[in-house]
Amino acid sequence: MLDLKLIRTEPDFIKEKLATRGVDPAEIDDLLALDEKRRSLIVKSETMKAQRNTVSDEISQLKRNKQDADDKITEMRQVSADIKEIDNDLDDLKTQVHDAAAHLPNIPDDSVPVGLTEDGSVELRRWGEKPNMDFTAKAHYEIGEDLGILDFEAGAKVSGSRYLYYLGLGARLERAVYNFFLDQNTEAGFKEVLPPYIVNDDSMYGTGQFPKFKEDVYQLRDEEMTLIPTAEVPLVNYYRDEVIPEEDLPVWFTALTPAFRSEAGSAGRDTRGLIRLHQFNKVEMVKFCKPENSWDELEHLTKHAEDLLQKLGLAYHVITLTTSDMSFTAAKTNDLEVWFPEQNTYREISSCSNTTDFQARRAHIQYRDDNGKLQYVHALNGSGLAVGRTVAAILENYQNADGSVTVPEVLVPYMGGVTKITK
């Protein structure tokens, strides 16, 4: 949520910055018109209430003096009725202003490349050597099916498209990956959390999924409850409507959870394999910090996600997304994209974002500064990492000519000593 005071005082700045995210400047004008109408009605209501209080005192005085007060009583009945009508209008306007503001994305940082498409993202750095294969690389889903460790047909039969079964060493590899991530994250100072997987509408609003992205999630029928699309939702909302003690900042959380996404609007994209599923595991990292530290925290968050890929020996690059390609809540997003040999391209495996005070305003998460004044924290989030995509990257990058897959060295202890997956 943007600061409404900032929108009022610097509307041209807001229009210019949000236009880079595809927001029509007319949306800002409409919001300001609603806000001005609401503020005018507040003044009118308060003026009439003051008048009513004054005349009520006059009526009391008249009655004490045994004088006729009927005209003033009749007048005040009408005033009271008018006040009630205005207050009802104010309630409606408050909802309209709130809804209009809730649909506006975060202000992009000046360092974010401007673009209305994903084209134009800036590469920050690359790491690792792409595997040099003297055979034709196979896609991860072909490798998994040939080895009998991934079963997409059974998943489709039981649940539908974009679901699967992990079998045998496939299931163990998935478990090895997320346990490795959790251990690395906790060693780095993140507090491990096991959060709820179903959250209420206030929580979805707090992290920016609602009201704009309801079509992208799965909700419980006849209940205002949603299966989480990411652990970011319950982790950020842990502090919703609370004041974090200053001495506790920064707070770092990590969690493994399933993520449930309807993938609305992605028909035809990555319909095979582990890249775009309706249900997948993800290890998430969330940070809360003071505003002056948030950009350093973003760099640290990005570097930590990179460290996970480096320890797995997977080649990747880091890019800064364009203004329109980053998430609704982000002021800046660094994406880590890992190399996929069969596709001969990099694919996203982690997004590390600084939401500045955007989520904190929506979720009302604050701290007291050195002067005892309440301030909004800055909240950051990043995948650490997407587990299924990591498994896919391992299968493709560590595949051998005979169809087997070598287990990355750091995962061997998590695989019970297994060094190679074979038929």
Side-chain angles (χ1 to χ4, degrees), residues 7 12 51 65 67 83 104 122 146 158 173 181 212 216 252 293-294 296 312 316 334 351 357 360-361 398:
I7 299 175
D12 292 338
Q51 177 193 7
N65 296 335
Q67 293 177 288
I83 290 172
L104 295 177
V122 175
D146 290 346
V158 172
L173 179 60
F181 289 161
K212 193 169 184 179
D216 295 329
W252 295 5
N293 300 326
S294 66
D296 288 340
L312 289 170
Y316 68 89
N334 293 328
S351 287
D357 63 356
R361 286 183 181 278
Y398 283 90

Side-chain angles (χ1 to χ4, degrees), residues 113-114 117-124 319-323 325 337:
V114 174
T117 67
E118 62 184 27
D119 297 330
S121 296
V122 175
E123 184 179 77
L124 300 178
I319 61 174
T320 298
L321 298 185
T322 63
T323 48
D325 195 32
E337 295 185 336

Side-chain angles (χ1 to χ4, degrees), residues 1-7 98 101 106-107 202 205-208 236-237 239-242 288 291 329 355-366 374-379:
M1 179 73 78
L2 300 180
D3 184 355
L4 194 53
K5 291 180 181 178
L6 179 63
I7 299 175
H98 186 273
N106 201 355
I107 300 168
D202 286 342
Y205 174 82
T207 44
V236 170
N237 280 279
Y239 283 115
R240 176 159 50 85
D241 297 323
E242 292 191 22
F288 303 94
T329 62
T355 73
T356 57
D357 63 356
F358 191 84
Q359 288 183 329
R361 286 183 181 278
R362 296 173 77 98
H364 204 66
I365 304 171
Q366 299 175 297
L374 285 173
Q375 305 284 357
Y376 288 105
V377 300
H378 279 197

